[in-house]
Amino acid sequence: MKIIRLLYIIFDKMGSVSLIPIEYQDSEIILANKRSGLASQGGSGVSHSVDTDLAAQIGQKVYLCHRLDKDTSGLLLCAKSPQAANKWSRLIAEKTVKKEYMALCFGQPKSPKGKISLPIREKGLMKDALTYFELEKSLLPKDFGLENDFGLFPISLLKLTLATGRTHQIRIHLAQSGLPIIGDDKYGNFVLNKAAKRDLGLKRLCLCAFRLTLPLLEGQKTFQIKDDFFLDI
């Protein structure tokens, strides 16, 4: 049951944390570790978000350089001024900032690494989209001692990078490829989600922005979330 416990820590642990962990900051930026269930940006009907909660936490206004889905956990880059936000948003758009994700999915890819290039509908238009994936681990719930039918259904831990930035791109691409993310209640497999919740205790979207590489003054520096137990699964 050790692996199940580690999976739970990766994707569910941060749900009970109130303060937003800060992984790095300098005069321009703050690198926050967003928990699943916390919105990136505040607005009407949003009681808590990274931009409002982090501003209260550090005592100054912050500006988002990009966004993560509410249910996606992981590293989120914020700026301390509008000028810095414009600069770092541009660096992200230019791919000078490298973002990497981990997802725990149902199923197993046909090859250990590859790309998904299916178009995605965005604002009523079909747009090109490109996601690269690499298989990190392939698991079977039966290896954890589960004896029911769900125990024979493969689970894959994938590392992903985006060449384009469509809304919900990773979630849509993996679902289209027969690899729905565990806990995805919009694009995922609802029957398997129920089994994963019941048998593995995985209650949230298992998608994490786990690594970010920034071009700092001293050179390229990579930051990775400290709760990186998935590397040992």
Side-chain angles (χ1 to χ4, degrees):
M1 299 296 288
K2 179 181 178 182
I3 294 179
I4 297 177
R5 183 181 64 81
L6 293 181
L7 291 175
Y8 180 85
I9 289 172
I10 301 163
F11 294 108
D12 204 54
K13 170 184 173 181
M14 293 185 63
S16 61
V17 179
S18 55
L19 289 179
I20 300 173
I22 295 174
E23 303 297 329
Y24 171 80
Q25 67 173 312
D26 59 23
S27 61
E28 288 190 336
I29 56 173
I30 302 172
L31 187 57
N33 191 345
K34 187 185 89 66
R35 65 186 180 272
S36 175
L38 179 65
S40 293
Q41 188 171 33
S44 177
V46 179
S47 56
H48 291 281
S49 63
V50 172
D51 58 352
T52 55
D53 289 13
L54 187 58
Q57 182 175 319
I58 68 171
Q60 72 172 86
K61 188 178 175 82
V62 298
Y63 304 83
L64 299 177
C65 300
H66 64 113
R67 290 168 179 78
L68 294 175
D69 294 344
K70 180 179 179 180
D71 294 326
T72 300
S73 64
L75 298 173
L76 182 66
L77 189 63
C78 305
K80 295 182 177 180
S81 70
Q83 295 78 13
N86 288 335
K87 169 187 171 180
W88 285 94
S89 295
R90 185 182 70 253
L91 291 173
I92 290 172
E94 294 171 350
K95 308 300 181 187
T96 305
V97 172
K98 183 179 181 182
K99 298 185 290 182
E100 298 173 85
Y101 298 80
M102 280 284 188
L104 194 64
C105 310
F106 297 114
Q108 186 172 354
K110 295 179 181 178
S111 59
K113 63 192 313 183
K115 63 182 180 180
I116 305 169
S117 55
L118 299 169
I120 289 176
R121 184 177 296 277
E122 192 172 64
K123 296 181 180 178
L125 299 174
M126 295 303 293
K127 296 185 178 182
D128 292 337
L130 179 59
T131 303
Y132 292 94
F133 70 86
E134 185 172 345
L135 178 64
E136 292 289 309
K137 294 284 183 180
S138 184
L139 311 165
L140 284 174
K142 73 177 183 63
D143 297 331
F144 314 152
L146 297 179
E147 303 295 339
N148 56 20
D149 291 340
F150 179 60
L152 299 176
F153 201 93
I155 292 174
S156 296
L157 185 67
L158 301 179
K159 183 172 70 175
L160 305 119
T161 56
L162 296 173
T164 53
R166 308 303 177 204
T167 302
H168 296 169
Q169 180 173 316
I170 290 177
R171 297 167 65 180
I172 294 172
H173 266 174
L174 290 178
Q176 289 176 331
S177 302
L179 299 164
I181 299 176
I182 295 177
D184 191 339
D185 59 7
K186 185 175 180 67
Y187 307 102
N189 185 307
F190 307 118
V191 173
L192 291 176
N193 281 343
K194 186 175 180 180
K197 182 177 181 180
R198 179 191 66 228
D199 295 337
L200 300 180
L202 294 171
K203 306 173 184 177
R204 299 171 184 255
L205 178 71
C206 293
L207 177 61
C208 179
F210 84 107
R211 186 185 290 159
L212 203 66
T213 301
L214 302 176
L216 302 178
L217 289 177
E218 62 270 26
Q220 295 281 330
K221 186 168 183 180
T222 298
F223 299 88
Q224 183 167 308
I225 58 171
K226 294 182 174 64
D227 299 313
D228 57 356
F229 299 99
F230 49 78
L231 298 178
D232 298 321
I233 292 175

